[in-house]
Every structure is written in C-alpha cells, then in structure tokens.
C-alpha cells in the first residue's frame, strides 16, 4: 500500500510563495508510468485539480493556475513538490497529494492559510 | 476547463439503490474511459471508489459500480448503508492531458 504525506508551512503571507512537499512511502516511486498529482479543496467547497508530474519530470497544469504553479519531482528522495507563487486569500485551502491521474492513493491533506 | 456537472445532493433509504450522474463533454467524459469516482467523509481525505469508468480498487465493496453512456458517467450504490453517507466526486481525464472534477454530490442516507 502506497502512502503519501504532505508537509510544509500551514501559514503563508499574501504575495509570497506557498511550498509543499509530498513524501511517498511503501511502494515504487519511479518504476515507470506513474503520475503524481496535487489537488486542493477550498473550505466547504469541492475538489480542484492543480496539476501533475510524471517520474521523468513532465508536467501538466490546470489552465486557471498554470501561470503561478510549478510542480517538481525528486525521485531519489521519493518526493514531489508544489509551489504556488503570489498567493492571496483565495489560495487558502486543504492541499492534497495523490498517486496517478486516477488518484488511486491520497495523502491526508494539509491546510494552508494565506493571511498576514 | 469547466467542471463536470453533478447533482448537488441525492438521498436514499437503507437498502435502496441510488445513482449519481456526472456530465461532461466529448473532450473529457465522452472522449476517454478514464472516469473516476471518489468518496469523501467530513474532515477526511477522498478515497477512490471507481476508476476507468467501472473498475473497483481492491477493498472497495461490490455495492459500488460505475458506468458511462456518451458524455455522462454514473455511480450506482446498491444496498445503501449508513456509512455510505458522504460527498462523492467524479473526475475525468481530458483532451488537454489535464484532469477535471465534478462539483460534488452530497449523499444522505435517510
């Protein structure tokens, strides 16, 4: 069973960069064919796909966030990361990492609040 | 990309069957057999219940089933149980190589 765990600051100031890391354990990370995803959920709202990355580093992003988002991968550490630049209060959400475009396995999620 | 369309809420009594629809376009739901369904209980992370339209991950009850016709996918839960009360989200791969979610459906077990 693959397990994923998000980590990073729970509070970010407006205009700064939100940075999160997802650490994968309990399974293969780069055996080929895997995609690693980021999803967020605004308080009391639905799920929003942010983007994903494959183990070669190719990325795909939600068009609405593409200009501010970067996803990267470090296969040696079995981690992938999310950066969201120039954040505002509208980026306050629970951020989830997941395995696959099907989102076969999910992390527990981490709340990030954007506030001064 | 526009969110897939789901009913805001559905309800059913224990033992009954319910169906949740997920409507997209030929650029997402209708174009690929890559529709998934996720269950989310309050305060918890989502859980994959159905992938690739109709496949169940190991450990998911066979009371959950999925199907697709044209641009609309459906999740059916038979033999409704109290523990099934949750929010359900569909998701689909798109022609832009992205993923889009539905707005979510709140299932109430009466």
């Amino acid at each position: 069973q693959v397990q994923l765990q998000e980590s990073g600051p729970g509070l970010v100031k407006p205009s700064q960069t939100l940075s999160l890391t997802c650490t994968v354990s309990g399974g293969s990370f780069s055996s080929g064919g895997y995609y690693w995803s980021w999803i967020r959920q605004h308080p009391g709202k639905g799920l929003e796909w942010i983007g994903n990355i494959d183990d070669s580093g190719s990325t795909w992003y939600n068009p609405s966030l593409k200009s501010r988002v970067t996803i990267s991968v470090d296969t040696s550490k079995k981690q992938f990361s999310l950066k969201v630049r120039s954040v505002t209060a509208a980026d306050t959400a629970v951020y989830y990492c997941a395995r696959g475009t099907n989102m076969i396995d999910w992390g527990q999620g981490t709340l990030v609040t954007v506030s001064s | 990309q526009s969110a897939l369309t789901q009913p805001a809420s559905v309800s059913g009594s224990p033992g009954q069957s319910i169906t949740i629809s997920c409507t997209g376009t030929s650029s997402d739901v209708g174009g690929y057999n890559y529709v998934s369904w996720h269950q989310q209980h309050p305060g918890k992370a989502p859980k994959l219940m159905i992938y690739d339209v109709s496949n169940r991950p190991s450990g998911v009850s066979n009371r959950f089933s999925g199907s697709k016709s044209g641009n609309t996918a459906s999740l059916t839960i038979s033999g409704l149980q109290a523990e099934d009360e949750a929010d359900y989200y569909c998701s689909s791969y798109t022609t832009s190589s992205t993923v889009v979610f539905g707005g979510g459906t709140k299932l109430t077990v009466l």
Side-chain angles (χ1 to χ4, degrees), chain B residues 48-89:
Chain B
L48 180 69
M49 305 302 284
I50 295 287
Y51 68 96
D52 294 354
V53 175
S54 60
N55 294 299
R56 275 188 312 275
S58 174
V60 172
S61 171
N62 60 9
R63 297 186 299 105
F64 291 82
S65 62
S67 63
K68 190 185 85 167
S69 177
N71 296 335
T72 298
S74 298
L75 172 71
T76 297
I77 308 174
S78 59
L80 210 56
Q81 299 179 1
E83 67 204 50
D84 300 331
E85 184 163 294
D87 293 327
Y88 290 84
Y89 295 90

Side-chain angles (χ1 to χ4, degrees), chain A residues 39 41 45-49 60-63 96 101-104 106-108, chain B residues 1 36 38 40 44-48 51-52 89 91 96-99 101 103:
Chain A
I39 303 99
Q41 186 170 34
K45 302 296 185 183
L47 300 171
E48 179 181 32
W49 183 79
W60 295 265
Y61 299 119
N62 186 324
Y96 295 100
T101 52
N102 278 325
M103 290 148 282
I104 300 166
W106 293 72
Q108 65 184 29
Chain B
Q1 55 190 26
S36 298
H38 310 269
Q40 186 179 36
K44 301 295 186 182
K47 174 187 176 183
L48 180 69
Y51 68 96
D52 294 354
Y89 295 90
S91 65
S96 302
S97 300
T98 61
V99 173
F101 280 100

Side-chain angles (χ1 to χ4, degrees), chain B residues 2-5 22-37 52-53 67-74 90-96 98 100:
Chain B
S2 298
L4 306 177
T5 300
C22 171
T23 301
T25 69
S26 57
S27 295
D28 38 63
V29 174
Y32 302 92
N33 288 325
Y34 294 141
V35 176
S36 298
W37 290 92
D52 294 354
V53 175
S67 63
K68 190 185 85 167
S69 177
N71 296 335
T72 298
S74 298
C90 61
S91 65
S92 175
Y93 186 73
T94 80
T95 52
S96 302
T98 61
V100 62

Side-chain angles (χ1 to χ4, degrees), chain A residues 38-78:
Chain A
W38 286 100
I39 303 99
R40 70 181 183 180
Q41 186 170 34
H42 295 105
K45 302 296 185 183
L47 300 171
E48 179 181 32
W49 183 79
I50 299 172
N52 63 18
I53 189 167
D54 68 15
D55 51 16
S56 71
S58 296
T59 54
W60 295 265
Y61 299 119
N62 186 324
S64 68
L65 297 168
K66 186 174 183 177
S67 64
R68 297 193 296 126
V69 168
T70 300
I71 297 174
S72 58
V73 65
D74 186 335
T75 55
S76 66
K77 294 182 178 179
K78 299 181 73 173

